[in-house]
Amino acid sequence: YSSLVLRTAGKDEAKALKTFLAEQYKKSAISANVETEYYSALSQTNQQFTIAIIIISFIMSIGGCFGITNTMFAAISQRSKDIGVLRLLGYGRLEIMISFLLESLLLALFGGLLGCAIGMLADGWTANSVLSSGPGGGKTVVLELAVTVGTLGIAMLTSLLMGLFGGLLPSLLAMRVSALEALR
């Protein structure tokens, strides 16, 4: 057996049994835990996974911002004459900046919706892993991918933030384009 569950009359008896087993079997491989401590340790493992996922997502988001920035710089360089025409027609710098920023946000929205649609296909996938093995067997952990409404909301918000931050610098550059220089 790899584990044994004992039921006691109450919380105090459970702590007393844990202390007794820890003292009685110091040199053995027995590890006694109260149920609340056991689930607290499992919760800490889940928190570590969550923190790792957040860090990786943040790094990937920075890469996505650079991708959007690159795309928007290319769009601005290809449409510099169009920007010049707009400036000559009376469009202000702020309006041009807002138009390119909205384009960036629209691209991010489309990419976020596509990513969420693909991510929903992975809902329910599982991964099995053996954490440790030793006398009596090992502990198997099953991770299940759950795509919830909250997860989709965070993904869309992150996507729009990437579009905002990634499109801000190119939009400011488009705003500064001179009408006469663009038409040369």
Side-chain angles (χ1 to χ4, degrees):
Y1 295 99
S2 62
S3 64
L4 177 67
V5 178
L6 301 174
R7 180 178 288 188
T8 60
K11 182 172 35 171
D12 296 332
E13 290 83 2
K15 289 182 181 179
L17 179 60
K18 175 189 172 185
T19 305
F20 170 75
L21 291 173
E23 289 175 359
Q24 192 70 21
Y25 298 99
K26 286 181 184 176
K27 296 180 181 176
S28 67
I30 292 178
S31 173
N33 290 316
V34 179
E35 185 177 30
T36 55
E37 294 171 0
Y38 176 75
Y39 285 114
S40 175
L42 285 180
S43 177
Q44 287 177 354
T45 303
N46 288 342
Q47 289 173 354
Q48 291 171 350
F49 276 124
T50 302
I51 290 169
I53 289 168
I54 289 171
I55 290 170
I56 291 170
S57 298
F58 182 74
I59 293 169
M60 297 292 286
S61 296
I62 291 172
C65 285
F66 284 127
I68 291 172
T69 302
N70 188 31
T71 302
M72 292 308 297
F73 273 135
I76 290 167
S77 70
Q78 290 177 353
R79 291 189 263 169
S80 63
K81 290 186 180 185
D82 297 340
I83 295 170
V85 170
L86 289 174
R87 293 284 292 138
L88 287 174
L89 289 174
Y91 283 87
R93 293 178 186 264
L94 185 63
E95 292 166 330
I96 291 173
M97 181 191 84
I98 289 173
S99 70
F100 279 100
L101 197 56
L102 286 176
E103 181 181 345
S104 171
L105 287 171
L106 189 64
L107 286 171
L109 178 68
F110 178 71
L113 288 173
L114 183 64
C116 286
I118 292 170
M120 286 174 51
L121 296 175
D123 186 34
W125 287 3
T126 60
N128 300 329
S129 178
V130 177
L131 285 182
S132 64
S133 62
K139 293 181 183 178
T140 302
V141 175
V142 179
L143 299 173
E144 182 176 352
L145 183 63
V147 181
T148 63
V149 174
T151 305
L152 295 173
I154 290 171
M156 288 307 300
L157 179 65
T158 303
S159 176
L160 290 174
L161 286 173
M162 287 169 43
L164 178 68
F165 291 128
L168 189 61
L169 185 62
S171 309
L172 291 172
L173 178 73
M175 177 179 84
R176 298 186 58 172
V177 170
S178 170
L180 295 177
E181 289 180 18
L183 292 174
R184 283 186 193 173

